[in-house]
Amino acid sequence: MSSAPELTWLRDAMVTRPGGTPPRKLHLVFRVHISAPIRARLHAVEHDDTAGVGHLVWSHYKDTVGKALFPPVPLAELAAPTAPLDAARSLLPTLDDTNYEWI
């Protein structure tokens, strides 16, 4: 069984990306528990207009420590997958070329 998505973080981002002028994006990051049977049926490939084909890896949230997530969110800092959310901490600092660099 899977849970209903919960809005967890908001992050405003305008960072220079390879290939042109930085787009401005507001990232809405949701938290949802996806059961193993459903996860097994999810796509493992994505198609990006500029980067081509990419492979998706579905990971446990605690396994994201040290991984390059975009947008960078404090996923591994959640106490538990179902821990109550603190709305005051949902708006993350703005991301721009002074505090983020594409790897």
Side-chain angles (χ1 to χ4, degrees):
M1 176 176 239
S2 297
S3 62
E6 294 179 64
L7 182 60
T8 308
W9 295 289
L10 296 167
R11 176 158 252 166
D12 186 14
M14 189 169 171
V15 295
T16 301
R17 192 175 162 171
T21 305
R24 182 159 193 195
K25 295 183 178 184
L26 180 62
H27 296 273
L28 305 174
V29 181
F30 290 84
R31 173 175 71 165
V32 63
H33 173 75
I34 302 171
S35 65
I38 292 173
R39 194 170 33 251
R41 297 190 328 248
L42 296 175
H43 289 280
V45 174
E46 71 173 346
H47 300 274
D48 184 288
D49 292 344
T50 58
V53 176
H55 297 278
L56 302 174
V57 177
W58 297 95
S59 302
H60 187 273
Y61 79 103
K62 287 291 186 182
D63 294 338
T64 63
V65 173
K67 302 264 170 115
L69 301 177
F70 191 83
V73 293
L75 184 61
E77 293 176 17
L78 291 173
T82 58
L85 301 173
D86 179 0
R89 295 179 55 195
S90 65
L91 183 58
L92 298 174
T94 299
L95 207 58
D96 59 31
D97 287 339
T98 65
N99 60 8
Y100 185 83
E101 182 179 341
W102 284 96
I103 55 172

